[in-house]
Amino acid sequence: MRSEISTTVDRGAFADAVTPWERESWRAAALDWVRGRLAEHGLRASGEPLVRLRPWSVLARVPVEGRAPVWFKANPRAGAFEGPLTAALARWVPGHVLEPLAVDAARAWSLLPDGGDLFRHVLAREAVEPAVWEDLLRQYAGVQRALTPRTAELERLGVPAARTLDLPEVFDRLLAANTALGPDARARLTAARPRIVDWCAELAAVGVEDTLDHADLHDGQLFRPEPGRFTFFDWGDAAVSHPFCSLRVTAERARERYGPQVLPRLRDAYLEPWTGTGRPAADLRRAASLAWRLSSLGRAASWGRMFPDPARPAPGAAQSAEWLLELLNEPPF
């Protein structure tokens, strides 16, 4: 693996994104690290990596002799917790997540195995019923419940804390820092703060404890290695927050495929693992509605986890502003 930029570099819709991949010294060090970590596992790269550059990550698919490829990922400093978190999840909820081949926490680098069929690819080639989405949401909720006793450990790993009762302060920080909001939008959000406080208090009163919120669990962030089993990955947007905030992104993707009538059944499937807590179903459904709205804060915060760009002091500000304004929209259930 040479240090030159691969002939295949995918920049998606972010042609002008600034990432460390542009620096030859960084590129050489990263590829040398990949080669060394592969050697520790008795493996050897067999060709040039295919590189995907985004403002929030550098991802490289590395072909390996005699087996499936591996994946190198570099996070920005604000997402440096992802590698240690992935390694910890492999110990705490094995079988539900990828087990990294190597993690360099100081440099925010990870080396990951191939996870099999991406769910997005399954959807492209097969007719998938909504029941499959219900199953993946049940499985993910089970992972969240298993992690509930580990919230303090998650925060020690550097996972951002956005606990339910602290979300008004998260809102304040995001609003103050955002450079893309116009005066009218800022005034509307400022006026909504008392309602945000009330929503957070009502959500916390339901009594479902904070745990790991993936915050971006869509069909491109999970594998389906075999029917009925899912592997969850890509934790760079995660936070310690109300678990029900995770429902929104998954449900929105399913709504795009099947229409809005699918939402109540997906919500109820996600809530099934939480019914054993003794809380009434009506309370859990109300909590899901509140968390749907408040999940906008987690999505807004994730757009602040970018590689620094000297030409743009606040990359992601426009997207973060859009998510803040989502707080003002009524949930779909």
Side-chain angles (χ1 to χ4, degrees):
M1 293 166 57
R2 301 187 304 275
S3 64
E4 291 82 359
I5 293 181
S6 166
T7 55
T8 304
V9 176
D10 168 19
R11 293 180 177 271
F14 302 93
D16 58 347
V18 173
T19 74
W21 181 259
E22 281 74 40
R23 300 200 307 269
E24 195 280 335
S25 60
W26 186 95
R27 210 161 56 238
L31 296 179
D32 284 348
W33 181 81
V34 170
R35 184 168 52 233
R37 302 297 76 73
L38 285 173
E40 291 172 358
H41 289 273
L43 303 173
R44 181 178 176 182
S46 62
E48 290 288 348
L50 304 179
V51 180
R52 194 193 78 164
L53 304 180
R54 299 293 186 267
W56 54 86
S57 68
V58 173
L59 187 68
R61 179 185 183 274
V62 182
V64 175
E65 290 181 359
R67 57 163 284 169
V70 298
W71 299 83
F72 165 79
K73 184 172 185 178
N75 294 85
R77 182 51 44 196
F81 62 85
E82 185 179 2
L85 171 61
T86 303
L89 293 177
R91 298 191 302 271
W92 297 338
V93 285
H96 296 287
V97 298
L98 293 176
E99 181 177 356
L101 299 170
V103 170
D104 186 325
R107 292 189 284 192
W109 293 350
S110 303
L111 191 64
L112 299 160
D114 188 76
D117 259 345
L118 197 67
F119 189 44
R120 177 175 293 167
H121 297 161
V122 175
L123 293 170
R125 70 168 188 260
E126 299 176 14
V128 175
E129 296 298 318
V132 176
W133 294 73
E134 295 172 32
D135 193 27
L136 79 85
L137 284 168
R138 290 188 195 96
Q139 291 185 34
Y140 179 69
V143 168
Q144 289 182 296
R145 287 205 65 187
L147 294 172
T148 300
R150 298 189 179 275
T151 52
E153 293 171 87
L154 290 167
E155 289 178 359
R156 284 196 293 271
L157 288 171
V159 180
R163 293 179 179 260
T164 304
L165 287 174
D166 295 332
L167 287 176
E169 286 70 37
V170 173
F171 168 77
D172 292 341
R173 292 196 297 271
L174 290 169
L175 185 61
N178 192 278
T179 58
L181 286 164
D184 291 345
R186 187 174 298 275
R188 291 168 61 207
L189 287 166
T190 300
R193 190 184 192 281
R195 284 181 287 156
I196 293 170
V197 173
D198 291 343
W199 295 330
C200 293
E202 184 182 355
L203 180 56
V206 174
V208 175
E209 296 178 70
D210 293 328
T211 183
L212 187 64
D213 169 23
H214 184 287
D216 195 26
L217 188 63
H218 57 70
D219 51 300
Q221 311 279 46
L222 59 139
F223 296 106
R224 196 206 68 172
E226 60 188 48
R229 186 165 73 86
F230 297 93
T231 305
F232 308 104
F233 74 102
D234 204 337
W235 301 94
D237 292 340
V240 174
S241 193
H242 198 283
F244 294 4
C245 290
S246 289
L247 172 62
R248 178 171 181 169
V249 170
T250 316
E252 284 184 330
R253 291 298 178 95
R255 178 173 60 182
E256 292 171 2
R257 296 184 66 87
Y258 307 107
Q261 69 277 4
V262 78
L263 292 179
R265 60 186 289 187
L266 291 179
R267 174 201 60 196
D268 291 348
Y270 173 77
L271 293 176
E272 280 181 25
W274 306 94
T275 58
T277 60
R279 296 174 181 86
D283 288 358
L284 292 174
R285 287 172 177 166
R286 173 59 179 164
S289 179
L290 291 163
W292 181 287
R293 191 193 293 265
L294 292 167
S295 67
S296 301
L297 291 169
R299 298 299 303 129
S302 71
W303 282 97
R305 302 174 197 172
M306 305 286 176
F307 292 115
D309 181 350
R312 287 176 295 181
Q319 295 90 340
S320 184
E322 290 175 6
W323 276 105
L324 285 173
L325 289 168
E326 280 289 319
L327 285 163
L328 305 177
N329 295 332
E330 289 295 322
F333 46 67

